[in-house]
């Protein structure tokens, strides 16, 4: 008999290799979630804690949270800064057949400064209702840097994801342009934005505003609070690339709409 | 200056004292959830893991899960059998203003026998779709024994709950009668059951069956998969008490309906 214990359970688990569709589904699950379940651990006893949080995304694709110092999860994170997030809505029916994404990562409480201000702005852009309490003294911004993820696209359709499947760091020049691009699209091209979203989603919403932008796509909020994530056809790698990426999405939307007409 | 660090964050947190309404809301959040976010911890690194699970309840009010050996959460529980569950749906709008319940507890993998068979039966009664895979060799039943809970009934409305707020152990005599009482209600009194539920919920469903029964109430499933939890007016403490508890619910439903008529 061999002493080799054999593959671990994870190695035995029938994970599928992530493909572009799995990566896009994972980004969409995160990008279209206003809320998530947060798993933290209370130390030293190692007791897990599952709580509800609201979330937004950073330019890198990582996650930003706004937590109260009075909450149990903040206390847990203060002594053990690791967390996991579960995103994905459950519709009526068997929730285990419905897609969801588990992210695992490291959490950092952001100190006031440029990074914190940007994270806070992205949080409020996606969750405007948080403006009511975001400035309370006991609330602080946290970043969750994604280490890896598990995408469950339905029963027995599990993918293990690396950080690179979900995140893409923009250059400082790209980040510096983000606000101007968002403002330009929202103020000067609302019809193009609507057209892009209508070509990719079944929705009766027409008033959309881009809330957050990143090298892989954007998240937009309707005036009734619907949230959509749209990926670019390919990752943007330099500031001028954003314009090309939007032009391409609009062209594809026009082509799709023209084909759909009788 | 005193060296006393002062109260811990939890002690400072503005928790409200749980009252009957908070206890009932907590039981309803658990009783009406088919799915939950499960928080576990991977050891030895202490990395939390948030995953989706389906759940049912035990006669005590504790939780029963059915997990695959191939899953990450089963692997985590095998080395560190503690978990937390988050239940409560998010409707459109600000999910942080919507009620949710965090439970914390100890997890035991049930070995085949009478306890396992009862747990499995209660799981399948509440989640009939799981019959498709419940007998697969890699699936096993687990009990999550509740240690405590946190009820968040909305922004700044948090309650800390003890096990006694959520659980009540039935006597062996009561447990022995459960199946017969459920069968009797479902087969001989479906109209009374419908009447009870219609008096407490806004629903267009009329075909209900009791799935699980416990000393504090019952959970019923409609033929389209809606799940409701109804509490008895007071806890049942002996087998004959179940009959009285149902008779009282029916009487109260009749009175309420008579008052509602013009």
């Amino acid at each position: 008999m061999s002493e080799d214990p054999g593959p671990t359970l994870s190695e035995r688990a029938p994970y599928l290799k992530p493909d572009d569709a799995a990566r896009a589904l994972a980004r969409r699950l995160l990008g279209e979630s206003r809320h998530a379940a947060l798993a933290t651990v209370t130390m030293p006893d190692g007791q897990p804690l599952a709580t509800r949080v609201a979330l937004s995304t950073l330019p890198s694709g990582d996650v930003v949270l706004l937590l109260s110092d009075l909450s149990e999860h903040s206390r847990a994170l203060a002594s053990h800064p690791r967390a996991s997030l579960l995103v994905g809505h459950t519709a009526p029916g068997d929730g285990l057949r419905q897609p969801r994404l588990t992210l695992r990562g490291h959490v950092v409480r952001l100190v006031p400064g440029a990074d914190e201000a940007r994270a806070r702005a992205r949080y409020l852009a996606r969750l405007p209702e948080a403006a009511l309490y975001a400035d309370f003294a006991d609330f602080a911004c946290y970043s969750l840097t994604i280490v890896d993820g598990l995408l469950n696209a339905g029963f027995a359709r599990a993918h293990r994801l690396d950080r690179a499947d979900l995140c893409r760091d923009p250059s400082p020049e790209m980040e510096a342009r983000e606000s101007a691009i968002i403002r330009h699209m929202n103020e000067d091209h609302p019809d193009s934005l609507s057209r892009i979203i209508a070509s990719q989603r079944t929705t009766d919403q027409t008033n959309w505003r881009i809330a957050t932008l990143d090298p892989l796509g954007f998240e937009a909020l309707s005036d009734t609070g619907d949230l959509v994530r749209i990926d670019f056809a390919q990752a943007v790698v330099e500031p001028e690339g954003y314009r090309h990426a939007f032009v391409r999405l609009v062209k594809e939307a026009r082509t799709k709409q023209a084909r759909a007409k009788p």
Side-chain angles (χ1 to χ4, degrees), chain A:
Chain A
M1 291 277 288
S2 161
E3 287 299 298
D4 182 354
T8 65
L9 285 169
S10 291
E11 286 164 340
R12 281 196 286 130
Y15 286 103
L16 306 172
K17 217 176 142 61
D19 53 16
D20 284 347
R23 288 181 201 103
L25 175 59
R27 280 196 298 268
R28 182 170 166 183
L29 286 168
L30 178 62
E32 299 192 349
S33 288
R34 299 158 70 86
H35 303 98
L38 177 75
T40 51
V41 189
T42 306
M43 288 298 179
D45 62 349
Q47 174 63 52
L49 180 73
T51 50
R52 184 180 294 166
V53 291
L55 65 96
S56 185
T57 51
L58 289 170
S60 59
D62 293 303
V63 175
V64 52
L65 306 172
L66 181 77
L67 307 177
S68 164
D69 291 340
L70 301 175
S71 66
E72 297 296 319
H73 42 229
S74 294
R75 189 166 72 120
L77 289 168
S79 64
H80 187 69
R82 303 179 84 168
S84 179
L85 277 180
L86 173 69
V87 293
H89 292 290
T90 49
D94 185 354
L96 297 187
R97 292 180 178 270
Q98 294 165 17
R100 66 272 190 192
L101 173 67
T102 293
L103 297 172
R104 303 196 296 181
H106 298 277
V107 178
V108 172
R109 183 184 167 113
L110 302 178
V111 293
D115 283 355
E116 196 270 351
R118 192 175 52 219
R120 184 177 286 263
R122 288 181 70 109
Y123 187 91
L124 289 170
R126 212 162 174 270
L127 298 151
E129 66 270 24
L132 290 170
Y133 49 83
D135 292 331
F136 287 4
D138 62 308
F139 277 86
C141 265
Y142 292 76
S143 66
L144 186 153
T145 302
I146 296 170
V147 172
D148 60 15
L150 291 170
L151 171 69
N152 196 315
F155 194 76
R157 286 174 55 208
H159 301 265
R160 192 178 284 280
L161 302 173
D162 292 327
R163 174 174 172 78
D165 291 314
L166 296 160
C167 298
R168 199 67 56 97
D169 288 306
S171 66
E173 295 74 29
M174 288 167 67
E175 275 200 60
R177 286 283 292 280
E178 266 170 35
S179 315
I181 293 162
I182 291 175
R183 200 165 48 238
H184 174 65
M185 287 300 298
N186 286 341
E187 291 176 8
D188 304 334
H189 300 292
D191 294 346
S192 296
L193 185 58
S194 267
R195 189 191 289 269
I196 292 167
I197 294 167
S199 76
Q200 299 205 21
R201 292 290 189 281
T202 305
T203 174
D204 54 4
Q205 301 298 314
T206 52
N207 285 327
W208 295 94
R209 289 181 70 79
I210 297 178
T212 56
L213 178 70
D214 59 71
L216 298 172
F218 64 89
E219 285 141 28
L221 205 56
S222 79
D223 52 8
T224 60
D226 289 359
L227 182 65
V228 297
R229 161 133 198 126
I230 303 288
D231 275 351
F232 296 133
Q234 55 189 69
V236 171
V237 295
E238 45 87 30
E240 198 51 29
Y242 281 121
R243 194 172 65 84
H244 299 304
F246 278 108
V247 167
R248 181 158 170 190
L249 283 179
V250 175
K251 272 191 188 156
E252 287 171 354
R254 284 211 182 100
T255 307
K256 207 168 156 184
Q257 284 175 322
R259 272 206 216 102
K261 276 191 187 142

mmCIF file of all heavy atoms in Angstrom, chain A residues 146-182:
data_model
loop_
_atom_site.group_PDB
_atom_site.id
_atom_site.type_symbol
_atom_site.label_atom_id
_atom_site.label_comp_id
_atom_site.label_asym_id
_atom_site.label_seq_id
_atom_site.Cartn_x
_atom_site.Cartn_y
_atom_site.Cartn_z
ATOM 1 N N ILE A 146 -8.824 40.483 -4.293
ATOM 2 C CA ILE A 146 -9.204 39.113 -4.653
ATOM 3 C C ILE A 146 -7.961 38.246 -4.822
ATOM 4 O O ILE A 146 -7.017 38.614 -5.522
ATOM 5 C CB ILE A 146 -10.035 39.131 -5.956
ATOM 6 C CG1 ILE A 146 -11.348 39.884 -5.722
ATOM 7 C CG2 ILE A 146 -10.291 37.703 -6.461
ATOM 8 C CD1 ILE A 146 -12.140 40.174 -6.990
ATOM 9 N N VAL A 147 -7.958 37.090 -4.156
ATOM 10 C CA VAL A 147 -6.883 36.111 -4.308
ATOM 11 C C VAL A 147 -7.309 35.035 -5.306
ATOM 12 O O VAL A 147 -6.573 34.696 -6.224
ATOM 13 C CB VAL A 147 -6.509 35.482 -2.946
ATOM 14 C CG1 VAL A 147 -5.534 34.332 -3.133
ATOM 15 C CG2 VAL A 147 -5.919 36.548 -2.028
ATOM 16 N N ASP A 148 -8.494 34.500 -5.107
ATOM 17 C CA ASP A 148 -9.014 33.526 -6.057
ATOM 18 C C ASP A 148 -10.524 33.446 -5.918
ATOM 19 O O ASP A 148 -11.119 34.156 -5.100
ATOM 20 C CB ASP A 148 -8.347 32.148 -5.895
ATOM 21 C CG ASP A 148 -8.551 31.553 -4.508
ATOM 22 O OD1 ASP A 148 -9.416 32.042 -3.752
ATOM 23 O OD2 ASP A 148 -7.852 30.585 -4.181
ATOM 24 N N GLY A 149 -11.128 32.611 -6.727
ATOM 25 C CA GLY A 149 -12.586 32.514 -6.695
ATOM 26 C C GLY A 149 -13.061 31.144 -7.123
ATOM 27 O O GLY A 149 -12.308 30.341 -7.686
ATOM 28 N N LEU A 150 -14.324 30.884 -6.795
ATOM 29 C CA LEU A 150 -14.997 29.660 -7.232
ATOM 30 C C LEU A 150 -16.286 30.091 -7.905
ATOM 31 O O LEU A 150 -17.133 30.720 -7.278
ATOM 32 C CB LEU A 150 -15.352 28.784 -6.029
ATOM 33 C CG LEU A 150 -14.230 28.119 -5.254
ATOM 34 C CD1 LEU A 150 -14.787 27.517 -3.963
ATOM 35 C CD2 LEU A 150 -13.570 27.050 -6.112
ATOM 36 N N LEU A 151 -16.415 29.750 -9.176
ATOM 37 C CA LEU A 151 -17.654 30.053 -9.881
ATOM 38 C C LEU A 151 -18.461 28.777 -9.956
ATOM 39 O O LEU A 151 -17.971 27.747 -10.430
ATOM 40 C CB LEU A 151 -17.345 30.552 -11.298
ATOM 41 C CG LEU A 151 -18.561 30.698 -12.220
ATOM 42 C CD1 LEU A 151 -19.455 31.848 -11.768
ATOM 43 C CD2 LEU A 151 -18.109 30.899 -13.665
ATOM 44 N N ASN A 152 -19.703 28.841 -9.466
ATOM 45 C CA ASN A 152 -20.575 27.699 -9.637
ATOM 46 C C ASN A 152 -21.677 28.138 -10.588
ATOM 47 O O ASN A 152 -22.546 28.921 -10.239
ATOM 48 C CB ASN A 152 -21.135 27.247 -8.288
ATOM 49 C CG ASN A 152 -21.729 25.851 -8.396
ATOM 50 O OD1 ASN A 152 -22.454 25.559 -9.354
ATOM 51 N ND2 ASN A 152 -21.413 24.994 -7.457
ATOM 52 N N ALA A 153 -21.573 27.647 -11.817
ATOM 53 C CA ALA A 153 -22.490 28.107 -12.865
ATOM 54 C C ALA A 153 -23.749 27.254 -12.905
ATOM 55 O O ALA A 153 -24.576 27.390 -13.802
ATOM 56 C CB ALA A 153 -21.773 28.077 -14.213
ATOM 57 N N GLY A 154 -23.929 26.398 -11.911
ATOM 58 C CA GLY A 154 -25.077 25.496 -11.851
ATOM 59 C C GLY A 154 -24.591 24.143 -11.380
ATOM 60 O O GLY A 154 -23.387 23.930 -11.208
ATOM 61 N N PHE A 155 -25.520 23.240 -11.122
ATOM 62 C CA PHE A 155 -25.183 21.944 -10.544
ATOM 63 C C PHE A 155 -24.063 21.263 -11.351
ATOM 64 O O PHE A 155 -24.182 21.104 -12.575
ATOM 65 C CB PHE A 155 -26.427 21.054 -10.513
ATOM 66 C CG PHE A 155 -26.271 19.842 -9.645
ATOM 67 C CD1 PHE A 155 -26.337 19.946 -8.259
ATOM 68 C CD2 PHE A 155 -26.031 18.604 -10.201
ATOM 69 C CE1 PHE A 155 -26.190 18.837 -7.459
ATOM 70 C CE2 PHE A 155 -25.880 17.476 -9.404
ATOM 71 C CZ PHE A 155 -25.957 17.591 -8.025
ATOM 72 N N ALA A 156 -22.965 20.913 -10.652
ATOM 73 C CA ALA A 156 -21.816 20.219 -11.272
ATOM 74 C C ALA A 156 -21.157 21.013 -12.393
ATOM 75 O O ALA A 156 -20.621 20.451 -13.340
ATOM 76 C CB ALA A 156 -22.225 18.824 -11.767
ATOM 77 N N ARG A 157 -21.248 22.346 -12.313
ATOM 78 C CA ARG A 157 -20.542 23.178 -13.294
ATOM 79 C C ARG A 157 -19.714 24.200 -12.535
ATOM 80 O O ARG A 157 -20.026 25.386 -12.504
ATOM 81 C CB ARG A 157 -21.551 23.868 -14.232
ATOM 82 C CG ARG A 157 -22.169 22.911 -15.252
ATOM 83 C CD ARG A 157 -23.259 23.588 -16.056
ATOM 84 N NE ARG A 157 -22.786 24.808 -16.695
ATOM 85 C CZ ARG A 157 -23.578 25.852 -16.984
ATOM 86 N NH1 ARG A 157 -24.844 25.833 -16.660
ATOM 87 N NH2 ARG A 157 -23.080 26.896 -17.592
ATOM 88 N N ALA A 158 -18.642 23.705 -11.910
ATOM 89 C CA ALA A 158 -17.813 24.548 -11.049
ATOM 90 C C ALA A 158 -16.486 24.867 -11.735
ATOM 91 O O ALA A 158 -15.900 24.018 -12.397
ATOM 92 C CB ALA A 158 -17.566 23.841 -9.723
ATOM 93 N N HIS A 159 -16.073 26.112 -11.582
ATOM 94 C CA HIS A 159 -14.790 26.560 -12.123
ATOM 95 C C HIS A 159 -13.985 27.189 -10.999
ATOM 96 O O HIS A 159 -14.514 27.977 -10.221
ATOM 97 C CB HIS A 159 -14.984 27.657 -13.181
ATOM 98 C CG HIS A 159 -15.815 27.263 -14.344
ATOM 99 N ND1 HIS A 159 -15.290 26.786 -15.514
ATOM 100 C CD2 HIS A 159 -17.160 27.280 -14.521
ATOM 101 C CE1 HIS A 159 -16.260 26.546 -16.373
ATOM 102 N NE2 HIS A 159 -17.416 26.833 -15.798
ATOM 103 N N ARG A 160 -12.699 26.885 -10.967
ATOM 104 C CA ARG A 160 -11.795 27.552 -10.046
ATOM 105 C C ARG A 160 -11.166 28.718 -10.811
ATOM 106 O O ARG A 160 -10.687 28.535 -11.936
ATOM 107 C CB ARG A 160 -10.722 26.549 -9.631
ATOM 108 C CG ARG A 160 -9.875 26.939 -8.491
ATOM 109 C CD ARG A 160 -8.901 25.814 -8.197
ATOM 110 N NE ARG A 160 -9.550 24.708 -7.524
ATOM 111 C CZ ARG A 160 -9.817 24.718 -6.204
ATOM 112 N NH1 ARG A 160 -9.501 25.750 -5.468
ATOM 113 N NH2 ARG A 160 -10.395 23.690 -5.654
ATOM 114 N N LEU A 161 -11.214 29.918 -10.236
ATOM 115 C CA LEU A 161 -10.719 31.103 -10.932
ATOM 116 C C LEU A 161 -9.520 31.693 -10.204
ATOM 117 O O LEU A 161 -9.472 31.704 -8.972
ATOM 118 C CB LEU A 161 -11.820 32.169 -11.021
ATOM 119 C CG LEU A 161 -13.123 31.765 -11.728
ATOM 120 C CD1 LEU A 161 -14.164 32.873 -11.582
ATOM 121 C CD2 LEU A 161 -12.876 31.464 -13.190
ATOM 122 N N ASP A 162 -8.584 32.188 -10.970
ATOM 123 C CA ASP A 162 -7.455 32.914 -10.401
ATOM 124 C C ASP A 162 -7.772 34.408 -10.415
ATOM 125 O O ASP A 162 -8.677 34.853 -11.120
ATOM 126 C CB ASP A 162 -6.205 32.695 -11.254
ATOM 127 C CG ASP A 162 -5.726 31.265 -11.163
ATOM 128 O OD1 ASP A 162 -5.885 30.654 -10.090
ATOM 129 O OD2 ASP A 162 -5.209 30.767 -12.180
ATOM 130 N N ARG A 163 -6.961 35.140 -9.678
ATOM 131 C CA ARG A 163 -7.102 36.598 -9.690
ATOM 132 C C ARG A 163 -7.090 37.142 -11.121
ATOM 133 O O ARG A 163 -7.870 38.020 -11.463
ATOM 134 C CB ARG A 163 -5.952 37.209 -8.881
ATOM 135 C CG ARG A 163 -5.915 38.710 -8.942
ATOM 136 C CD ARG A 163 -4.868 39.331 -8.037
ATOM 137 N NE ARG A 163 -4.817 40.744 -8.353
ATOM 138 C CZ ARG A 163 -5.702 41.625 -7.925
ATOM 139 N NH1 ARG A 163 -6.681 41.226 -7.138
ATOM 140 N NH2 ARG A 163 -5.642 42.891 -8.281
ATOM 141 N N ALA A 164 -6.231 36.577 -11.968
ATOM 142 C CA ALA A 164 -6.089 37.095 -13.338
ATOM 143 C C ALA A 164 -7.354 36.880 -14.164
ATOM 144 O O ALA A 164 -7.570 37.566 -15.168
ATOM 145 C CB ALA A 164 -4.890 36.438 -14.024
ATOM 146 N N ASP A 165 -8.205 35.932 -13.752
ATOM 147 C CA ASP A 165 -9.469 35.722 -14.478
ATOM 148 C C ASP A 165 -10.469 36.846 -14.198
ATOM 149 O O ASP A 165 -11.436 37.023 -14.944
ATOM 150 C CB ASP A 165 -10.106 34.392 -14.060
ATOM 151 C CG ASP A 165 -9.293 33.191 -14.542
ATOM 152 O OD1 ASP A 165 -8.892 33.201 -15.719
ATOM 153 O OD2 ASP A 165 -9.076 32.258 -13.744
ATOM 154 N N LEU A 166 -10.259 37.565 -13.107
ATOM 155 C CA LEU A 166 -11.260 38.530 -12.653
ATOM 156 C C LEU A 166 -10.765 39.965 -12.640
ATOM 157 O O LEU A 166 -11.562 40.892 -12.694
ATOM 158 C CB LEU A 166 -11.705 38.166 -11.228
ATOM 159 C CG LEU A 166 -12.421 36.819 -11.097
ATOM 160 C CD1 LEU A 166 -12.375 36.326 -9.674
ATOM 161 C CD2 LEU A 166 -13.858 36.959 -11.579
ATOM 162 N N CYS A 167 -9.462 40.151 -12.524
ATOM 163 C CA CYS A 167 -8.918 41.492 -12.274
ATOM 164 C C CYS A 167 -7.936 41.910 -13.364
ATOM 165 O O CYS A 167 -7.268 41.073 -13.958
ATOM 166 C CB CYS A 167 -8.213 41.523 -10.917
ATOM 167 S SG CYS A 167 -9.332 41.187 -9.550
ATOM 168 N N ARG A 168 -7.857 43.211 -13.575
ATOM 169 C CA ARG A 168 -6.903 43.765 -14.528
ATOM 170 C C ARG A 168 -6.542 45.159 -14.027
ATOM 171 O O ARG A 168 -7.423 46.013 -13.909
ATOM 172 C CB ARG A 168 -7.567 43.861 -15.917
ATOM 173 C CG ARG A 168 -6.595 43.975 -17.066
ATOM 174 C CD ARG A 168 -5.783 42.682 -17.244
ATOM 175 N NE ARG A 168 -6.613 41.493 -17.429
ATOM 176 C CZ ARG A 168 -6.926 40.958 -18.608
ATOM 177 N NH1 ARG A 168 -6.475 41.510 -19.715
ATOM 178 N NH2 ARG A 168 -7.669 39.876 -18.684
ATOM 179 N N ASP A 169 -5.293 45.366 -13.687
ATOM 180 C CA ASP A 169 -4.902 46.663 -13.138
ATOM 181 C C ASP A 169 -4.737 47.693 -14.238
ATOM 182 O O ASP A 169 -3.943 47.494 -15.163
ATOM 183 C CB ASP A 169 -3.588 46.532 -12.349
ATOM 184 C CG ASP A 169 -3.801 45.806 -11.034
ATOM 185 O OD1 ASP A 169 -4.668 46.241 -10.261
ATOM 186 O OD2 ASP A 169 -3.124 44.790 -10.796
ATOM 187 N N PRO A 170 -5.467 48.798 -14.158
ATOM 188 C CA PRO A 170 -5.278 49.867 -15.145
ATOM 189 C C PRO A 170 -4.000 50.637 -14.840
ATOM 190 O O PRO A 170 -3.534 50.650 -13.702
ATOM 191 C CB PRO A 170 -6.497 50.763 -14.926
ATOM 192 C CG PRO A 170 -6.854 50.570 -13.486
ATOM 193 C CD PRO A 170 -6.451 49.161 -13.118
ATOM 194 N N SER A 171 -3.435 51.263 -15.876
ATOM 195 C CA SER A 171 -2.268 52.122 -15.647
ATOM 196 C C SER A 171 -2.733 53.387 -14.923
ATOM 197 O O SER A 171 -3.910 53.742 -14.967
ATOM 198 C CB SER A 171 -1.648 52.501 -16.988
ATOM 199 O OG SER A 171 -2.556 53.312 -17.717
ATOM 200 N N PRO A 172 -1.822 54.073 -14.251
ATOM 201 C CA PRO A 172 -2.197 55.344 -13.597
ATOM 202 C C PRO A 172 -2.805 56.328 -14.596
ATOM 203 O O PRO A 172 -3.742 57.064 -14.259
ATOM 204 C CB PRO A 172 -0.872 55.861 -13.037
ATOM 205 C CG PRO A 172 0.003 54.656 -12.900
ATOM 206 C CD PRO A 172 -0.411 53.713 -13.994
ATOM 207 N N GLU A 173 -2.302 56.339 -15.846
ATOM 208 C CA GLU A 173 -2.852 57.257 -16.861
ATOM 209 C C GLU A 173 -4.310 56.896 -17.163
ATOM 210 O O GLU A 173 -5.150 57.765 -17.370
ATOM 211 C CB GLU A 173 -2.031 57.185 -18.166
ATOM 212 C CG GLU A 173 -0.584 57.680 -18.040
ATOM 213 C CD GLU A 173 0.318 56.717 -17.291
ATOM 214 O OE1 GLU A 173 0.053 55.485 -17.344
ATOM 215 O OE2 GLU A 173 1.266 57.186 -16.624
ATOM 216 N N MET A 174 -4.611 55.600 -17.199
ATOM 217 C CA MET A 174 -5.986 55.184 -17.448
ATOM 218 C C MET A 174 -6.890 55.582 -16.285
ATOM 219 O O MET A 174 -7.981 56.113 -16.486
ATOM 220 C CB MET A 174 -6.057 53.669 -17.670
ATOM 221 C CG MET A 174 -5.470 53.229 -19.013
ATOM 222 S SD MET A 174 -5.225 51.432 -19.080
ATOM 223 C CE MET A 174 -6.923 50.845 -19.034
ATOM 224 N N GLU A 175 -6.393 55.351 -15.065
ATOM 225 C CA GLU A 175 -7.204 55.695 -13.894
ATOM 226 C C GLU A 175 -7.490 57.190 -13.859
ATOM 227 O O GLU A 175 -8.581 57.614 -13.473
ATOM 228 C CB GLU A 175 -6.490 55.276 -12.608
ATOM 229 C CG GLU A 175 -6.745 53.825 -12.266
ATOM 230 C CD GLU A 175 -6.469 53.574 -10.792
ATOM 231 O OE1 GLU A 175 -7.123 54.204 -9.938
ATOM 232 O OE2 GLU A 175 -5.594 52.748 -10.504
ATOM 233 N N ALA A 176 -6.482 57.978 -14.251
ATOM 234 C CA ALA A 176 -6.639 59.437 -14.204
ATOM 235 C C ALA A 176 -7.742 59.898 -15.162
ATOM 236 O O ALA A 176 -8.344 60.949 -14.956
ATOM 237 C CB ALA A 176 -5.311 60.122 -14.547
ATOM 238 N N ARG A 177 -8.012 59.129 -16.195
ATOM 239 C CA ARG A 177 -9.010 59.527 -17.187
ATOM 240 C C ARG A 177 -10.430 59.049 -16.887
ATOM 241 O O ARG A 177 -11.393 59.501 -17.530
ATOM 242 C CB ARG A 177 -8.582 58.989 -18.573
ATOM 243 C CG ARG A 177 -7.421 59.736 -19.188
ATOM 244 C CD ARG A 177 -7.875 61.071 -19.776
ATOM 245 N NE ARG A 177 -8.735 60.873 -20.920
ATOM 246 C CZ ARG A 177 -8.288 60.588 -22.147
ATOM 247 N NH1 ARG A 177 -6.995 60.514 -22.377
ATOM 248 N NH2 ARG A 177 -9.123 60.398 -23.144
ATOM 249 N N GLU A 178 -10.542 58.104 -15.964
ATOM 250 C CA GLU A 178 -11.830 57.462 -15.719
ATOM 251 C C GLU A 178 -12.999 58.413 -15.520
ATOM 252 O O GLU A 178 -14.036 58.289 -16.193
ATOM 253 C CB GLU A 178 -11.754 56.602 -14.454
ATOM 254 C CG GLU A 178 -11.432 55.169 -14.707
ATOM 255 C CD GLU A 178 -11.143 54.478 -13.393
ATOM 256 O OE1 GLU A 178 -11.792 54.835 -12.385
ATOM 257 O OE2 GLU A 178 -10.267 53.600 -13.377
ATOM 258 N N SER A 179 -12.845 59.358 -14.589
ATOM 259 C CA SER A 179 -13.979 60.244 -14.264
ATOM 260 C C SER A 179 -14.414 61.022 -15.485
ATOM 261 O O SER A 179 -15.616 61.204 -15.728
ATOM 262 C CB SER A 179 -13.614 61.243 -13.175
ATOM 263 O OG SER A 179 -12.951 60.604 -12.157
ATOM 264 N N ALA A 180 -13.428 61.511 -16.262
ATOM 265 C CA ALA A 180 -13.767 62.317 -17.440
ATOM 266 C C ALA A 180 -14.526 61.464 -18.462
ATOM 267 O O ALA A 180 -15.487 61.931 -19.084
ATOM 268 C CB ALA A 180 -12.492 62.888 -18.062
ATOM 269 N N ILE A 181 -14.120 60.205 -18.612
ATOM 270 C CA ILE A 181 -14.791 59.335 -19.577
ATOM 271 C C ILE A 181 -16.217 59.036 -19.128
ATOM 272 O O ILE A 181 -17.157 59.084 -19.915
ATOM 273 C CB ILE A 181 -13.978 58.028 -19.769
ATOM 274 C CG1 ILE A 181 -12.655 58.363 -20.460
ATOM 275 C CG2 ILE A 181 -14.762 57.015 -20.578
ATOM 276 C CD1 ILE A 181 -11.609 57.284 -20.332
ATOM 277 N N ILE A 182 -16.371 58.748 -17.841
ATOM 278 C CA ILE A 182 -17.717 58.463 -17.315
ATOM 279 C C ILE A 182 -18.612 59.688 -17.529
ATOM 280 O O ILE A 182 -19.746 59.578 -18.012
ATOM 281 C CB ILE A 182 -17.645 58.088 -15.811
ATOM 282 C CG1 ILE A 182 -16.976 56.722 -15.645
ATOM 283 C CG2 ILE A 182 -19.037 58.094 -15.181
ATOM 284 C CD1 ILE A 182 -16.743 56.312 -14.197
#
